[in-house]
Amino acid sequence: PNLIYIIVLFSHNKSYGLLVPRLWVKMMTQHLRRISIACCHRSFGSKPHVSKVKPMLLETTVDWSSLPTVKLRGKRFLLGSESPNIPEFLSPPRDGFPPVYVPADDGEFSPEAWAAAARDVSRGVVDGRGAGAALFRNIPLNTAKDFSRFVNSLGLKPMSYEGGVTMRNSVEHNVDTASNEHPAMSMGLHNEMSYTHYYPRKVIFYCEEPAEPGKGGESVMVDVREILRKLDPEVVDKFRQLGIRYHRYLPAHGEFFHGYNSWRDAFRTSSRDDVETYLRARNVAWAWGKDGSVSWWYNLPAMRFYKGEWLWFNQANLHNADFTTAHPDYDSANPIPVHQAPFNSQYGDGSEIEPE
């Protein structure tokens, strides 16, 4: 809960990978793959600028055995944790995933120079080798401004968080807080913005202030190809046939539920016309409430075909109204009607998704 993440989203019409210091990089899950490290000491460096001296990044091995055990089953404020089907503990990182890179020496370089070196690793490892994600440690990016200079020098096309669910504050150019969610809440695995028509291809997380020991702060990655393979075939077939209907509800003003937006926050405008332009462009149905709130709903596929294979790519779990009832601020004595929950998910025909 004391961990501050800063997030930058990049649109899916660019194909470079992103790498950041002291972070868990959560790439769009169509890139997440298990890897076997071909060379534990392969280095990458940026192209020279004025000087021939350039920063180098060295792939290294990490002993994850010192990581504390993270309980899942029965964990408070984690949706579904009461199910006997959930693992008792979080699995530790696998050998080689994510690949970890550190500076090769103690030279002083600008964030822009480190970005050039990271871009080489991204192209060669994250995309080229198919790693799908990477972890950088000890690159001297000490502030949000440093991070902004770094990510804005990667040669990528940023995208906005327009239409997003949670509240995020702008910190620097193309840098937002990852979420203003309640610090006690545990975020389940999800595909970033897969509930929208326009989602990022790459996501970068930067850890500015690590959580204190025993206070959480874990950022979890998973290979969605493996999830699809492990799901019950009957469940997969039903989602494949029906798709998912996402329902959104946003009030006119304020933070009506901890960490969730009003439509003015979500669309970063005070104009209804701007909201309707956004919704009309995505061919979704909407309705304005008498209290100034807006609701809209639309169907999306539960899976995406990417690089020759189908991937589980949705937020049917976290965008279900049950997520709201697991929230620390939820008052069961005054339940929120489903149609006024910040979000809800159903099968594409409007029928409810089974709890299990």
Side-chain angles (χ1 to χ4, degrees):
N2 296 326
L3 184 62
I4 298 175
Y5 281 111
I6 300 173
I7 186 172
V8 175
L9 305 181
F10 289 89
S11 66
H12 58 281
N13 56 6
K14 287 284 185 178
S15 59
Y16 309 129
L18 307 178
L19 306 154
V20 199
R22 298 184 306 163
L23 57 74
W24 284 106
V25 180
K26 185 179 69 175
M27 314 298 290
M28 287 306 293
T29 51
Q30 64 261 47
H31 288 296
L32 296 182
R33 297 183 180 180
R34 183 176 183 178
I35 67 160
S36 297
I37 295 181
C39 177
C40 292
H41 299 288
R42 186 178 181 186
S43 62
F44 290 82
S46 66
K47 295 180 180 179
H49 296 286
V50 177
S51 172
K52 291 184 178 180
V53 178
K54 57 186 179 181
M56 301 292 293
L57 296 171
L58 184 69
E59 186 173 358
T60 186
T61 57
V62 176
D63 180 6
W64 301 110
S65 62
S66 61
L67 289 178
T69 301
V70 179
K71 186 175 179 60
L72 292 181
R73 191 183 305 161
K75 185 177 178 65
R76 293 189 68 196
F77 311 126
L78 175 63
L79 182 64
S81 64
E82 71 283 353
S83 170
N85 295 323
I86 194 171
E88 185 173 1
F89 299 102
L90 180 67
S91 299
R94 294 176 296 201
D95 290 341
F97 183 80
V100 180
Y101 283 83
V102 296
D105 54 48
D106 297 328
E108 294 186 7
F109 302 96
S110 68
E112 291 80 5
W114 284 116
R119 186 168 60 244
D120 291 343
V121 179
S122 174
R123 293 173 178 175
V125 178
V126 176
D127 290 332
R129 202 167 75 190
L135 171 64
F136 270 76
R137 286 180 163 177
N138 302 326
I139 293 182
L141 304 181
N142 300 313
T143 65
K145 188 173 184 63
D146 287 347
F147 180 59
S148 176
R149 291 172 59 188
F150 177 88
V151 296
N152 284 293
S153 299
L154 289 169
L156 302 171
K157 181 182 178 181
M159 63 173 283
S160 75
Y161 190 57
E162 184 180 31
V165 169
T166 62
M167 298 184 71
R168 292 175 177 175
N169 301 122
S170 178
V171 180
E172 291 287 346
H173 180 50
N174 291 326
V175 175
D176 291 347
T177 53
S179 174
N180 294 358
E181 181 60 273
H182 193 291
M185 196 69 184
S186 293
M187 294 187 186
L189 296 168
H190 61 280
N191 308 110
E192 182 66 25
M193 295 186 75
S194 58
Y195 56 87
T196 67
H197 293 77
Y198 186 60
Y199 47 84
R201 183 167 183 147
K202 305 286 193 298
V203 182
I204 314 176
F205 288 108
Y206 166 67
C207 175
E208 185 176 59
E209 182 181 337
E212 296 176 2
K215 298 294 184 179
E218 300 86 10
S219 295
V220 184
M221 293 187 295
V222 67
D223 186 334
V224 290
R225 298 179 308 164
E226 294 186 5
I227 287 182
L228 184 58
R229 294 166 188 158
K230 292 178 179 179
L231 287 174
D232 185 328
E234 292 185 4
V235 173
V236 173
D237 287 343
K238 189 170 183 178
F239 274 104
R240 191 190 304 274
Q241 293 172 16
L242 300 178
I244 298 173
R245 177 170 297 173
Y246 294 99
H247 183 275
R248 300 282 304 280
Y249 168 84
L250 295 178
H253 299 284
E255 185 180 329
F256 78 110
F257 202 78
H258 189 112
Y260 295 99
N261 287 324
S262 68
W263 61 258
R264 286 177 168 82
D265 295 319
F267 293 101
R268 304 188 179 190
T269 182
S270 59
S271 168
R272 286 193 179 196
D273 290 341
D274 290 346
V275 175
E276 293 185 2
T277 297
Y278 174 93
L279 298 174
R280 190 178 296 111
R282 287 153 180 80
N283 194 32
V284 304
W286 74 87
W288 291 98
K290 293 181 179 180
D291 58 358
S293 63
V294 63
S295 300
W296 70 97
W297 52 96
Y298 51 92
N299 286 17
L300 288 175
M303 285 155 277
R304 299 280 182 178
F305 192 72
Y306 184 77
K307 291 190 175 181
E309 61 186 317
W310 287 99
L311 303 175
W312 186 252
F313 190 77
N314 62 74
Q315 287 201 29
N317 57 336
L318 294 191
H319 269 242
N320 193 271
D322 285 347
F323 183 83
T324 306
T325 64
H327 197 283
D329 286 346
Y330 186 76
D331 183 3
S332 59
N334 297 287
I336 298 174
V338 171
H339 70 279
Q340 289 184 346
F343 39 75
N344 191 29
S345 60
Q346 301 169 307
Y347 288 115
D349 63 356
S351 60
E352 299 300 326
I353 299 172
E354 299 84 355
E356 289 286 344

